[in-house]
């Protein structure tokens, strides 16, 4: 029987269209596998890919989490091979070795495994994420933990062991970081407790415990992280900030590190900036069609200030970067002032704020204005001075983009007034305000349609919507049994029209502006969120977690 190609199999199964296949083939890099490229574009889920392969090739699909792995089988396959081919040995049976693989059609890999072990290889299919985590668990973490336990005693001094690349501490820290990245974590917390040293990771905005380490490992691990981030290891009583640039599994990773002295030792938080996710297109941020149109219209304005608001961690910077990416071309001069510069963008001049030498947002901004800019991005408006300079810059023919910490789009206006900015400046310079929050998406691999509860129907009815069924995740290995995987944004956009300008000039209260935007049927965060529940992207609980009903 002639072997069918993966693209044909997926088209036959009705999972992708011919156009999607052609687009992916055109845009993928030469050494990227088609399956991976389709996953990256979001045309298929890993589960669908596995089901097609399982059905067409007759290769069994196994759920590694629930499968008992034979430690003897693990020792038969060298670590390098397991990592290179995403191949996890599961069990041996006489002269056969069962191996779970991400790509069971990779005949080179099967042949190499056969040569290395001397066994007949029986491939099975598993998802890449599961394989990666299992290989780390069985090959890397076990080794490092055993070595460290053997090496470290309560009074081990902090010395070469935290500098030498081959030492167990160095490997353990690298593995904790690699493991967090594999789970798409945004932050890693190292929490000193009275009797142990806890590691927690934040995935899709929710923190959960990853592991607990013995208390006597605390000092060497903290010292290792501080060395990586160029911090002072002898200073343990003051907070410090640093950053680490490293490559993990051939991917560049940028990490911001913050240390804070607590009563049980230093707590370290690492913020992972995944550079591959940084440069999103505006379409991928999560705007609804109507909101995307409004936002793009605002970006086309020649001058004025556009504000993006929301609490910390609501994806404001990502939206700003996506907007800059859209505006970036040879014909415009874009300059940014940021603290810190999170992602480096090609063709854009980025300035890093440095308070110690007096380079503040306001001073940086004044210097930028002499550099003939067209578009200016200010990382955050924190004080009256920065706000005033930004407003005046937008009146002199520049498009200014910035962020502000407020809870809703309407509140941004009153926040500027509280800062002491004159109403005439606000009304003549602000072209629009976008409020944004991040919500977790229902996992595509284990979602099921269920009837909406009575409470959900009431919530939808209160906003003039109806709902009969909603999507929920059952929980599966690819979402770590949470039912959610990945995040999307919900928005409310307040375009400043003539009526709002008049209201601002008359120093109207937040309530008056809100009453007016209700009349013109502006979509609030909650409305945009409930529409995304209707589309099956997220759940009502997630929306209520970040947006209020009033």
């Amino acid at each position: 029987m002639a072997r069918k190609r993966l693209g044909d199999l997926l088209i036959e199964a009705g999972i992708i269209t011919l156009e999607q296949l052609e687009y992916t083939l055109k845009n993928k890099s030469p050494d990227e596998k088609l399956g991976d490229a389709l996953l990256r574009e979001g045309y298929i889920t890993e589960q669908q890919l596995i089901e097609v392969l399982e059905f067409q090739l007759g290769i069994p699909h196994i759920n590694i989490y629930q499968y008992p792995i034979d430690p003897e089988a693990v020792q038969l396959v060298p670590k390098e091979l397991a990592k290179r081919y995403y191949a996890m040995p599961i069990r041996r049976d006489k002269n056969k070795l069962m191996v779970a693989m991400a790509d069971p059609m990779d005949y080179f890999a099967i042949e190499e495994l056969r040569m290395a072990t001397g066994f007949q290889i029986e491939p099975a299919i598993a998802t890449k994420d599961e394989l990666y985590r299992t290989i780390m668990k069985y090959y890397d973490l076990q080794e490092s933990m055993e070595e460290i336990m053997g090496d470290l005693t309560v009074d081990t001094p902090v010395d070469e062991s935290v500098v030498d690349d081959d030492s167990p501490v160095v490997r353990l820290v690298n593995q904790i970081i690699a493991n967090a990245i594999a789970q798409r974590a945004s932050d890693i917390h190292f929490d000193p407790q009275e009797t142990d040293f806890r590691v927690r990771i934040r995935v899709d905005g929710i923190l959960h415990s990853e592991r607990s380490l013995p208390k006597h490992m605390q000092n060497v691990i903290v010292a290792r992280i501080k060395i990586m981030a160029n911090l002072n290891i002898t200073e343990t009583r003051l907070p410090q900030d640093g950053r680490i640039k490293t490559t993990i599994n051939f991917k560049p990773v940028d990490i911001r590190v913050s240390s804070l002295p607590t009563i049980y030792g230093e707590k370290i938080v690492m913020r992972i900036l995944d550079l591959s996710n940084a440069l999103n297109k505006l379409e991928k941020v999560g705007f609804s069609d109507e909101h995307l149109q409004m936002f793009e219209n605002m970006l086309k304005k020649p001058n004025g200030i556009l504000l993006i608001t929301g609490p910390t961690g609501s994806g404001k910077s990502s939206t700003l970067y996506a907007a800059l990416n859209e505006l970036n071309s040879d014909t415009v001069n874009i300059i940014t002032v940021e603290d810190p510069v999170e992602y480096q963008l090609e063709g854009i001049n980025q300035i890093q704020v440095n308070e110690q030498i007096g380079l503040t947002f306001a001073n940086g901004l004044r210097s930028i204005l002499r550099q003939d800019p067209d578009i200016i991005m200010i990382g955050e408006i924190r004080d009256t001075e920065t706000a005033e300079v930004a407003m005046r810059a937008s009146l002199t023919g520049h498009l200014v983009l910035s962020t502000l910490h407020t809870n809703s789009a309407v509140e941004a206006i009153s926040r500027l007034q509280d800062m002491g900015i004159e109403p005439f400046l606000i009304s003549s310079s602000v072209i629009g305000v976008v409020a944004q929050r991040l919500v977790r998406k229902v996992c595509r691999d284990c979602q099921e349609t269920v009837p909406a509860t009575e409470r959900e129907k009431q919530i939808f009815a209160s906003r003039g919507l109806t709902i009969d069924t909603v999507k929920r995740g059952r929980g599966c290995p690819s979402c770590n049994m949470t039912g959610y995987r990945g995040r999307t944004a919900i928005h409310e956009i307040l375009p400043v029209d003539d009526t709002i300008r008049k209201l601002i000039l008359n120093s109207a209260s937040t309530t008056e502006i809100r009453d007016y935007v209700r009349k013109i049927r502006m979509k609030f965060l909650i409305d945009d969120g409930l529409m995304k529940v209707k589309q099956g992207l997220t759940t009502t609980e997630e929306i209520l977690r970040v947006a209020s009903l009033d």
Side-chain angles (χ1 to χ4, degrees), residues 33 36 46 62 64 77-90 98-106 109-110 113 121 123-136 139 178 181-182 248-251:
K33 291 189 170 149
D36 291 342
E46 214 156 359
I62 64 167
I64 294 193
V77 175
K79 180 162 89 176
E80 283 65 41
L81 277 185
K83 282 184 161 175
R84 188 180 335 146
Y85 294 122
Y86 283 94
M88 180 69 204
I90 303 286
M98 185 176 186
V99 180
M101 301 175 71
D103 181 6
M105 296 160 84
D106 185 342
I110 292 175
L113 286 166
I121 303 296
I125 312 177
T127 67
K128 213 165 184 174
D129 274 5
E130 280 179 73
L131 284 165
Y132 181 72
R133 283 185 226 164
T134 315
I135 290 168
M136 282 202 61
Y139 281 98
I181 290 171
I248 293 200
N249 294 328
F250 314 109
K251 277 214 263 345

Side-chain angles (χ1 to χ4, degrees), residues 123-156:
I125 312 177
T127 67
K128 213 165 184 174
D129 274 5
E130 280 179 73
L131 284 165
Y132 181 72
R133 283 185 226 164
T134 315
I135 290 168
M136 282 202 61
K137 186 173 151 192
Y138 279 89
Y139 281 98
D140 288 343
L141 286 171
Q142 296 304 77
E143 272 180 32
S144 296
M145 287 297 288
E146 283 160 17
E147 282 182 36
I148 288 192
M149 293 306 192
D151 284 4
L152 278 186
T153 57
V154 181
D155 46 9
T156 303

Side-chain angles (χ1 to χ4, degrees), residues 453-509:
T453 62
E454 283 309 310
R455 173 81 183 113
E456 281 179 309
K457 287 180 180 165
Q458 284 168 6
I459 291 168
F460 273 78
S462 72
R463 309 300 296 183
L465 297 164
T466 56
I467 184 109
D468 299 317
T469 58
V470 290
K471 288 223 163 59
R472 279 205 163 60
R474 283 192 308 277
C476 67
S478 63
C479 62
N480 245 342
M481 297 314 193
T482 56
Y484 296 102
R485 184 181 163 124
R487 287 192 289 179
T488 187
I490 59 171
H491 301 92
E492 63 185 27
I493 296 188
L494 170 74
V496 179
D497 60 13
D498 292 341
T499 314
I500 293 180
R501 283 203 180 92
K502 278 193 194 118
L503 286 168
I504 296 172
L505 275 173
N506 299 331
S507 300
S509 67

Side-chain angles (χ1 to χ4, degrees), residues 374-414:
D374 298 295
I375 297 166
I376 300 169
M377 191 267 264
I378 306 161
E380 187 188 333
I381 292 181
R382 294 180 187 165
D383 51 46
T384 311
E385 198 186 358
T386 312
E388 273 199 339
V389 183
M391 299 278 167
R392 294 192 188 279
S394 69
L395 291 177
T396 51
H398 304 95
L399 177 63
V400 180
L401 309 176
S402 187
T403 69
L404 196 62
H405 283 274
T406 62
N407 289 327
S408 69
V410 175
E411 281 170 37
I413 306 290
S414 57

